[in-house]
């Protein structure tokens, strides 16, 4: 791997930037690997990277049906935070946030991680009490979080309307200053490049069409580019977890919905933090290009179509314009949807399955982006050692039978 | 936006409806005797089909009644609607194993 640095930048400037090497190879798939990761999004690429780096696996493939980061990695609103209620969630999201804090250096790739703070608004007394409870729980876990008064909200983000006569007045907020944004594509590309440098084969336009079993264990996958064998298969897909699981004869507690987002036309810097509101189903930040990146709630119906209904956007834009009157004359530039695999307790499913050698990392619902490094890190451990990483253990599939659910609807809701 | 044909009121905008998820999920016949796995299956496990899917809707801002629909989860086309307690048209019956309701 050619390291990126000020010197390589200067050197390549001399050749008009025409000689940069490809960031990763595009090899033909081999007939067998030691481990196959299904899904070339951030989570899958991170898993492959940590498998190679921390567990010494040399012969790994990542299979992606489309292009790297073209699924939910490229469709989310890029928010990173770790302000979750329960200890299990705090552990995994904070593990991820700590990895985010060193990720650009670790990968030698600028993920544009910006700790600009994430503010969650409260619009009624119940919201405020919930936020207080959550902030207290978060602080007991040693994670930064604080409560702001409406006046402090206004000081932190001056364009928020805090007048008391709003339909949903701002009564306070929680703030995690270490939260923020990262460039979503860069996360996929950075992990891909670093994994490739450690010998991982990244194979795009290679869709898995079947999972091969011999008795109670996996032996490989059928793909659009032929049969590939491996004793260990990690399924890390968003939007198709049930489809992949069904190939191995498993049923999952997953329901797939569209989750929509939109961007405005680009404007000069106007908001230097992330503002979220669960109650009115809106969250907003500003990209470095100047577009406001705005997220909505999920569409109620099941779908695999990567598009949703316009009424969701309408409600979303109404809420955002009421909170931020300054946005009212902006044009909507484009909107899109990703398919999110929601689980009954709004927490992911990570771990082993009843099929030996088959591992699942799915069900991140509306908020998997923030967990990308931590998710890949603990999943790599789970695959390499055939036992769940201690942080991943509570997220096992069997919790739906034991009843040990990790209910994060409050911290997750739609707002991610 | 879906345009949903309510069996009683005719086609209306999706905003008049609420969604009820997968159809034909029957409560365990002997709840007290059902194992944890059987409860987990009833409460949480879902087909989540990609393609032709049997699902429930309620015309909450209209007649208020529940009904079943056959919808393609990729094209969003609604292929049929039918009353609670009935099976879908035979050619669209994707064969849910848990028949009732």
């Amino acid at each position: 791997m050619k390291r990126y640095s000020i010197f390589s930048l200067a050197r390549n400037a001399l050749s008009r930037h025409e000689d940069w090497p490809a960031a990763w190879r595009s090899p033909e798939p081999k007939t067998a690997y030691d481990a196959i990761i299904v899904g070339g999004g951030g989570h899958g690429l991170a898993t492959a990277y940590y498998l190679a780096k921390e567990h010494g696996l040399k012969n790994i493939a990542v299979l992606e049906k489309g292009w790297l980061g073209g699924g939910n990695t490229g469709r989310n609103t890029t928010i990173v935070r770790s302000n979750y209620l329960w200890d299990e969630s705090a552990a995994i999201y904070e593990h991820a946030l700590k990895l985010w804090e060193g990720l650009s250096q670790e990968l030698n790739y600028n993920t544009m991680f910006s700790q600009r703070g994430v503010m969650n608004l409260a619009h009624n007394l119940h919201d405020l009490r919930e936020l207080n409870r959550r902030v207290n729980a978060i602080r007991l876990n040693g994670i930064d979080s604080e409560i702001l008064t409406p006046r402090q909200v206004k000081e932190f983000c001056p364009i928020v309307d805090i007048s008391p006569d709003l339909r949903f007045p701002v009564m306070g907020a929680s703030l995690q200053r270490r939260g923020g944004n990262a460039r979503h594509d860069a996360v996929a590309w950075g992990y891909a490049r670093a994994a490739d440098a450690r010998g991982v084969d990244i194979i795009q336009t290679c869709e898995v069409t079947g999972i091969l079993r011999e008795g109670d264990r996996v032996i490989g996958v059928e793909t659009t580019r032929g049969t590939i064998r491996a004793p260990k298969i990690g399924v890390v897909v968003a939007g198709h977890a049930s489809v992949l699981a069904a190939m191995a004869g498993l049923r999952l507690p997953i329901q797939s919905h569209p989750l929509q987002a939109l961007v405005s036309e680009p404007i000069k810097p106007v908001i230097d933090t992330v503002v979220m509101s669960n109650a009115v189903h809106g969250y907003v930040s500003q990209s470095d290009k100047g577009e406001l990146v705005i997220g909505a709630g999920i569409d109620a119906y099941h779908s695999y179509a990567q598009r949703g209904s316009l009424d969701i956007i309408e409600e979303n834009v109404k809420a955002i314009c009421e909170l931020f009157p300054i946005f009212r004359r902006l044009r909507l530039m484009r909107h899109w949807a990703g398919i999110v695999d929601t689980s009954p307790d709004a927490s992911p499913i990570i771990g082993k399955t009843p099929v030996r050698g088959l591992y699942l990392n799915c069900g991140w619902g509306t908020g998997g982006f923030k967990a990308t490094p931590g998710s890949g890190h603990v999943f790599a451990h789970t695959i390499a050692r055939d036992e769940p990483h201690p942080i991943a253990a509570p997220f096992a599939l069997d919790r739906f039978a034991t009843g040990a659910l990790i209910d994060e609807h409050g911290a997750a809701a739609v707002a991610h | 936006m879906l345009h949903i044909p309510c069996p009683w009121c005719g086609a209306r905008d999706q905003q008049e409806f609420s969604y009820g998820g997968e159809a034909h999920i029957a409560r365990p016949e002997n709840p007290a005797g059902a194992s944890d796995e059987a409860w987990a299956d009833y409460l949480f496990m879902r087909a989540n089909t990609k393609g032709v899917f049997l699902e429930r809707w309620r015309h909450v801002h209209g007649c208020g009644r529940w009904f079943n629909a056959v919808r393609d989860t990729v094209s969003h086309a609604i292929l049929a609607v039918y009353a609670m307690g009935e099976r879908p048209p035979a050619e669209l019956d994707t064969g849910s194993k848990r028949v009732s309701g």
Side-chain angles (χ1 to χ4, degrees), chain A residues 65 240 242-243 251-256 300-305 307-311 341 344 400-401 405, chain B residues 1-2 14-15 19 21-22 36-37 40-41 44-51 53 57 71 73-76 98:
Chain A
K65 72 170 176 177
H240 275 75
S242 300
V243 176
R251 270 162 69 80
L252 294 182
I254 294 286
Q255 308 195 56
S256 301
Y301 51 83
H302 297 176
S303 173
Y304 285 89
R307 63 175 186 276
S309 295
L310 200 63
D311 58 315
D341 286 341
F400 298 97
L405 302 183
Chain B
M1 172 85 66
L2 305 181
Q14 175 208 327
Q15 276 165 301
Y19 188 61
E22 187 177 343
D36 288 350
E37 286 69 28
D41 196 70
F44 299 127
M45 302 299 165
R46 294 293 180 264
N48 199 27
T49 312
K50 182 177 185 180
F53 184 55
W57 288 88
R71 189 174 59 93
T73 57
V74 178
S75 70
H76 290 177
R98 293 164 297 173

Side-chain angles (χ1 to χ4, degrees), chain A residues 39-357:
Chain A
H43 290 241
L45 293 163
T47 303
Y49 169 73
Y50 292 115
L51 269 176
K53 179 186 172 225
E54 300 204 347
H55 303 283
L57 267 73
K58 294 286 174 240
N59 199 18
I60 307 167
V62 175
L63 307 183
E64 164 57 43
K65 72 170 176 177
W67 65 95
L68 295 190
N72 287 358
T73 297
R75 290 166 189 270
N76 63 79
T77 48
T78 76
I79 299 167
V80 175
R81 61 190 175 90
S82 65
N83 53 355
Y84 279 70
L85 176 65
W86 299 107
D87 296 351
E88 297 86 352
S89 317
I92 194 163
Y93 291 108
E94 180 63 11
H95 181 50
L97 183 49
K98 286 191 173 135
L99 289 171
W100 276 113
E101 286 172 332
L103 195 61
S104 292
Q105 283 72 26
E106 158 127 24
L107 299 178
N108 180 235
Y109 202 98
N110 187 4
T111 60
M112 297 165 75
F113 181 51
S114 158
Q115 292 180 293
R116 58 185 68 182
V118 172
M119 197 161 62
N120 289 76
L121 301 180
H123 299 280
N124 53 51
L125 273 179
H126 176 75
D127 277 1
L128 203 52
R129 287 172 186 148
E130 257 318 300
L131 279 189
N132 268 298
R133 177 196 179 204
R134 203 182 316 153
V135 163
N136 286 334
I138 292 162
R139 293 172 69 115
L140 283 172
N141 274 316
I143 298 169
D144 76 301
S145 217
E146 58 202 90
I147 289 287
L148 303 185
T149 63
R151 177 61 45 200
Q152 290 170 316
V153 169
K154 188 80 177 165
E155 281 166 18
F156 190 69
C157 181
I159 60 172
V160 178
D161 186 354
I162 60 161
S163 52
D165 54 352
L166 287 183
R167 171 69 183 85
F168 297 104
V170 174
M171 296 183 68
S174 71
L175 172 64
Q176 183 177 24
R177 292 183 191 270
R178 287 166 60 239
N181 290 109
R183 170 85 199 279
H184 48 8
D185 296 324
V187 178
W189 298 336
Y191 271 120
R193 175 168 167 270
D196 178 86
R198 290 176 181 274
V200 174
D201 279 3
I202 295 166
I203 300 160
Q204 302 181 66
T205 61
C206 180
E207 182 172 0
V208 170
T209 54
I211 293 178
L212 301 173
R213 287 174 61 166
E214 209 171 75
D216 67 343
R217 63 170 308 122
V218 290
I219 54 166
V221 289
E222 293 284 1
T223 77
T224 49
R225 295 174 69 174
T227 303
I228 308 175
R229 299 175 80 87
K232 292 185 178 213
I233 295 171
V235 173
V236 202
V237 298
H240 275 75
S242 300
V243 176
L244 264 294
M247 291 177 192
L250 299 177
R251 270 162 69 80
L252 294 182
I254 294 286
Q255 308 195 56
S256 301
H257 297 268
L259 178 63
Q260 301 188 67
L262 54 111
V263 292
S264 73
E265 58 192 324
I267 53 173
K268 288 195 174 178
V270 65
I271 176 168
D272 63 356
T273 184
V274 182
V275 180
M276 317 179 69
S277 167
N278 282 10
V280 299
H281 289 191
Y283 35 111
V284 61
S285 61
Q286 190 169 17
S287 75
D288 291 329
K289 285 188 286 184
E291 303 155 341
L292 297 173
V293 183
I294 296 171
I298 60 170
D299 286 78
Y301 51 83
H302 297 176
S303 173
Y304 285 89
Q306 292 188 324
R307 63 175 186 276
S309 295
L310 200 63
D311 58 315
I312 299 282
I313 299 290
E314 198 180 343
E315 287 293 316
N316 178 229
V317 168
K318 265 195 261 183
I320 292 291
C321 286
E322 176 156 291
L323 277 175
F324 301 94
I326 194 175
F327 294 164
R328 281 185 186 172
R329 284 185 296 167
L330 282 179
R331 291 188 188 91
L332 165 65
M333 195 159 74
R334 61 179 184 275
H335 71 105
W336 66 91
I339 297 302
V340 296
D341 286 341
T342 61
S343 71
D345 56 359
S347 289
I349 297 166
I350 312 170
K352 299 168 74 168
T353 68
V355 183
R356 281 198 297 150

Side-chain angles (χ1 to χ4, degrees), chain B residues 48-98:
Chain B
N48 199 27
T49 312
K50 182 177 185 180
V52 175
F53 184 55
L54 309 182
E55 62 186 17
R56 303 176 305 171
W57 288 88
R58 185 176 174 223
H59 195 184
V60 62
H61 298 299
C63 61
R65 298 181 72 172
W66 284 94
F67 59 94
N68 293 311
V70 187
R71 189 174 59 93
D72 189 315
T73 57
V74 178
S75 70
H76 290 177
I78 296 170
L79 306 171
V81 292
Y82 56 103
M84 301 306 285
E86 291 179 0
R87 292 299 304 178
E91 71 278 10
L92 295 172
D93 196 339
T94 50
S96 169
K97 274 176 266 171
R98 293 164 297 173

